[in-house]
Amino acid sequence: MDLKNQILRSLSEKIGQEIIINKKYYFECDNYIFLSYNSRDFLENNNISKALLGNKPIVIDKKSMLAYKLLTNEGIDRQNLEIQDLIKQDQLVPFRI
């Protein structure tokens, strides 16, 4: 199972509902995968009562295969800059599965 699926399974178990990637905010570049997520019921059925709040984007480093939660909800371009800055400063927050 790949890291993305492990993360989604872990989140689903912690939250108590099925979590899927929000494809609208999924982005890959040379070194990283940026993904946003929400409940399946919200993303596929627009059930607002099942929408997650405060779910921070996750970044996966393709080389190390480590995952990190971003500390912001800024747009993808801003997140890309933020992740590069945080890597340089060694201040990424590890995502625990």
Side-chain angles (χ1 to χ4, degrees):
M1 179 183 304
D2 70 14
L3 185 56
K4 288 185 287 189
N5 288 330
Q6 289 177 359
I7 290 169
L8 294 174
R9 189 181 79 227
S10 174
L11 288 169
S12 294
E13 290 171 1
K14 287 178 185 176
I15 294 169
Q17 56 181 323
E18 187 177 4
I19 304 303
I20 62 173
I21 292 172
N22 185 341
K23 293 177 185 172
K24 182 177 178 182
Y25 300 109
Y26 179 89
F27 174 76
E28 284 194 45
C29 61
D30 291 340
N31 299 317
Y32 304 99
I33 299 170
F34 298 83
L35 64 94
S36 181
Y37 57 92
N38 214 312
S39 72
R40 179 179 297 280
D41 204 21
F42 172 68
L43 292 173
E44 292 182 355
N45 303 317
N46 204 28
N47 184 345
I48 194 75
S49 68
K50 297 292 183 174
L52 302 178
L53 299 174
N55 46 324
K56 302 294 184 194
I58 294 175
V59 177
I60 299 172
D61 182 322
K62 290 181 176 180
K63 292 179 183 173
S64 69
M65 290 308 294
L66 295 175
Y68 304 93
K69 273 193 176 181
L70 286 183
L71 303 176
T72 182
N73 283 327
E74 298 287 339
I76 292 296
D77 292 336
R78 179 67 192 114
Q79 290 176 30
N80 191 10
L81 293 173
E82 178 181 333
I83 193 76
Q84 290 173 28
D85 288 344
L86 291 173
I87 288 168
K88 289 176 188 172
Q89 299 170 27
D90 196 27
Q91 292 183 352
L92 287 173
V93 178
F95 179 82
R96 302 196 192 282
I97 297 175

